[in-house]
Amino acid sequence: MDLLWFLREPSSFFIYIFSETVSALSAVASVFLLSTQFGKGTGISNNQIIFMLGYSLLVDGIYWLFFRGNNMGEISRIIGRGQLDHCMTQPVPLPIQLLTNGFSPVSSSHIFLTGIIVTVYAAHQLKLKISILWLLLLIGYVFLSMFIILSLVYIFSARAFYSPVASEEVAGEILSFTAIKVYPLNGFPKTIQNILLTVLPIGLTAWFPSILLLNAATKETIKLAYGILPVIASMFILIAALLFLGRD
């Protein structure tokens, strides 16, 4: 695994970890600063926004923890470069390779750890009543949100099967698009919210789970709230699996 990098070049490793942590924090800091200046437009408090940012970091942290290595989190690169064919010739089933080849517990844990710190801080500031059920919901939501992002990446990366060179960097573009998950959607029109909760479910990767965990959902949305994330996540996982595993 990536532990060898740390053992061989500790100085380069720590420089990398520091720069990546600063980059992750700067990406979410802009949202917090905007909310501080224009907080009334978001519909939620600053501490609630910090919680949402912590949740977003947890999702990104889990994603890169399991899929950073060997471009598993940017699968279009593997397809575009013909490397997926090599995977198919291995004696290990393709789904197992996709789930394990990207595991990078040393070089990719910093975002996840930062997310834990930010989330704990926000929960403390909000004086949330933490229970075992709440923690289980948090863990479940984080993984479902992560799988939604992973599914979107794999679905759009399937284009690389037909246009390998032109679509090699599609996964990176999709990941850049999912960065909008750190923005609160409270002030958006209902039509935009519905699109970002269903067709392009970016709202399910940070904003919506956060307001559920904070008990900030309106009575209008609470009826469907706890079922929409598992249902949408299952649909997108199924579509991604059909696109990829059908080729195994």
Side-chain angles (χ1 to χ4, degrees):
M1 292 185 288
D2 56 347
L3 178 62
L4 289 176
W5 178 26
F6 170 67
L7 296 176
R8 289 172 179 171
E9 298 181 79
S11 59
S12 298
F13 173 81
F14 283 116
I15 292 173
Y16 167 81
I17 292 297
F18 175 76
S19 60
E20 285 290 305
T21 302
V22 171
S23 176
L25 290 175
S26 63
V28 298
S30 59
V31 181
F32 175 69
L33 293 174
L34 283 172
S35 69
T36 302
Q37 186 69 23
F38 307 105
K40 294 181 180 179
T42 62
I44 54 179
S45 69
N46 288 338
N47 285 327
Q48 288 175 324
I49 290 176
I50 294 175
F51 181 87
M52 187 188 72
L53 298 180
Y55 183 97
S56 174
L57 287 171
L58 287 175
V59 173
D60 287 340
I62 293 290
Y63 186 89
W64 292 118
L65 190 65
F66 286 96
F67 300 103
R68 179 182 286 274
N70 299 311
N71 284 322
M72 288 296 117
E74 297 179 88
I75 193 69
S76 62
R77 292 181 177 180
I78 294 177
I79 301 170
R81 297 168 185 174
Q83 296 169 346
L84 191 65
D85 298 336
H86 302 163
C87 296
M88 291 181 175
T89 61
Q90 301 300 315
V92 180
L94 181 60
I96 302 299
Q97 294 185 60
L98 295 176
L99 289 172
T100 58
N101 282 355
F103 188 49
S104 306
V106 179
S107 62
S108 301
S109 60
H110 56 286
I111 298 178
F112 177 64
L113 295 175
T114 304
I116 292 177
I117 293 171
V118 174
T119 304
V120 170
Y121 169 80
H124 175 72
Q125 292 295 110
L126 291 166
K127 296 180 172 57
L128 295 179
K129 294 180 180 179
I130 308 300
S131 64
I132 294 177
L133 177 60
W134 189 90
L135 288 174
L136 290 175
L137 280 175
L138 173 62
I139 294 170
Y141 285 168
V142 166
F143 273 93
L144 287 174
S145 297
M146 184 274 294
F147 276 116
I148 286 177
I149 293 176
L150 183 67
S151 299
L152 286 171
V153 169
Y154 273 56
I155 289 169
F156 283 95
S157 293
R159 178 186 170 190
F161 286 118
Y162 307 98
S163 180
V165 177
S167 303
E168 185 177 331
E169 297 298 330
V170 164
E173 296 301 320
I174 297 301
L175 288 172
S176 297
F177 173 72
T178 62
I180 67 173
K181 68 180 179 295
V182 299
Y183 289 91
L185 302 182
N186 300 63
F188 282 65
K190 289 294 182 182
T191 303
I192 301 299
Q193 288 187 14
N194 291 334
I195 291 173
L196 293 177
L197 291 175
T198 52
V199 182
L200 291 173
I202 305 304
L204 295 178
T205 59
W207 171 70
F208 198 69
S210 295
I211 64 173
L212 292 181
L213 291 166
L214 294 170
N215 294 317
T218 62
K219 292 181 179 179
E220 185 180 86
T221 60
I222 201 68
K223 297 177 181 178
L224 300 173
Y226 293 99
I228 187 172
L229 182 54
V231 170
I232 297 295
S234 299
M235 290 174 55
F236 276 82
I237 291 171
L238 179 61
I239 294 171
L242 290 174
L243 287 173
F244 273 78
L245 302 186
R247 300 172 177 274
D248 194 359

